[in-house]
Amino acid sequence: MTGTTRHRTALAILTAGLLTALMPRPGTAQYAVDPGEAIAAGPLQIMSTPSAGAAKVMELEAGRTVTVLGYPRGTGMAWIAVNGRELGYVSAASLAPIDRERPILYRAAVIAQGRTGAAKLGLNGQLDAAGEVVDVVRVVNGKASLDGSRAREVPADQLVPILGTYGPLDGLSPGVPGFFAARLGRFATPAEAQARWAEIQQYLPELADLAPYLFRRATTRDMAIELAAGPFNRMRVEEVCTLLARRGQDCWPIAVDVR
């Protein structure tokens, strides 16, 4: 065998080996989501490189719509972007197809107009653990201050956001089955929420006849304005969220109790 022949044979063996390494191995599970739009099945820990031991860049909450750009081979990680901006890598197992049933993000409430505190509700109104209407001033270190003093602090995650009130002509009363709403985002100001609502109506005209819910929600991190649309039944809220997710709009179902 001449030197040239030996060289060609070695190159062919090396090439075949590389091709074999790049091919999917028998029995390897396929990813649940193809490259394209997906939702976060749980909180997303975004890493700087496709390795579980890499530095954490940021975290996204469950239900966020993301774009899967690809899957680095052999890592079990997905390369993702949000709104056209590349963010980093997440566990591929933490993503789900956008048309799968979404979990309920949280429970909210509507209350009767005649209830104590309803008249002065405003955007800050919440229900405490006893079902009383309270006015949240701020959230610090996971505690919600109800009157600006430490004496009136309660755990923020025990509060239920109030979407609004209902009257005698609305056909609602305490204890009747509630409904669902599509939660569309979290904003610093009411103006930002209203601007997003105007954008959403442009590409989903079916929502044009609905009045949006603007309300404050306290979390263990802070208190901010949230935007939701409804009322829907469970099936319809899933349809709306899927339609919005295909357009890159985050959407989470929330359950609304009549209190």
Side-chain angles (χ1 to χ4, degrees):
M1 182 181 294
T2 65
T4 300
T5 302
R6 284 196 300 272
H7 176 73
R8 288 175 177 170
T9 301
L11 181 60
I13 293 173
L14 177 61
T15 301
L18 287 173
L19 290 174
T20 299
L22 291 173
M23 292 175 63
R25 296 178 181 177
T28 300
Q30 297 298 310
Y31 293 118
V33 180
D34 292 329
E37 300 299 319
I39 62 170
L44 293 184
Q45 307 291 327
I46 301 178
M47 318 304 285
S48 58
T49 61
S51 168
K56 178 180 171 181
V57 175
M58 62 185 298
E59 181 175 331
L60 294 179
E61 60 187 337
R64 288 295 301 269
T65 301
V66 303
T67 302
V68 177
L69 303 175
Y71 295 96
R73 188 179 296 277
T75 65
M77 306 287 282
W79 179 29
I80 69 165
V82 172
N83 295 327
R85 182 168 70 94
E86 298 173 11
L87 296 185
Y89 301 86
V90 301
S91 168
S94 64
L95 300 175
I98 62 173
D99 57 355
R100 83 158 223 183
E101 184 172 282
R102 293 158 176 76
I104 300 301
L105 185 63
Y106 57 80
R107 302 195 77 87
V110 292
I111 65 173
Q113 292 174 354
R115 284 191 56 174
T116 302
K120 58 178 183 178
L121 184 61
L123 287 175
N124 291 359
Q126 314 272 308
L127 291 178
D128 64 11
E132 297 299 322
V133 178
V134 295
D135 191 26
V136 179
V137 177
R138 63 175 179 265
V139 175
V140 179
N141 297 326
K143 298 287 187 177
S145 176
L146 305 184
D147 63 357
S149 69
R150 295 182 62 84
R152 295 288 311 280
E153 287 184 344
V154 299
D157 56 5
Q158 292 183 6
L159 297 173
V160 175
I162 300 173
L163 271 61
T165 61
Y166 61 87
L169 300 181
D170 293 319
L172 298 175
S173 60
V176 303
F179 56 90
F180 297 90
R183 191 265 207 175
L184 304 172
R186 190 170 175 85
F187 308 89
T189 67
E192 291 179 7
Q194 289 166 345
R196 176 60 61 82
W197 176 245
E199 294 174 1
I200 292 172
Q201 287 179 303
Q202 290 182 357
Y203 55 75
L204 200 62
E206 300 161 85
L207 302 183
D209 293 335
L210 296 176
Y213 301 109
L214 264 66
F215 56 98
R216 288 193 191 274
R217 175 173 170 249
T219 70
T220 54
R221 295 193 300 270
D222 60 11
M223 187 169 67
I225 297 291
E226 299 208 356
L227 170 68
F232 302 118
N233 61 29
R234 187 68 171 95
M235 181 180 296
R236 182 55 181 158
V237 79
E238 286 295 337
E239 293 173 349
V240 168
C241 280
T242 298
L243 287 171
L244 291 171
R246 293 188 188 282
R247 293 165 172 81
Q249 165 66 45
D250 295 326
C251 185
W252 301 262
I254 59 175
V256 183
D257 298 319
V258 181
R259 305 282 285 270

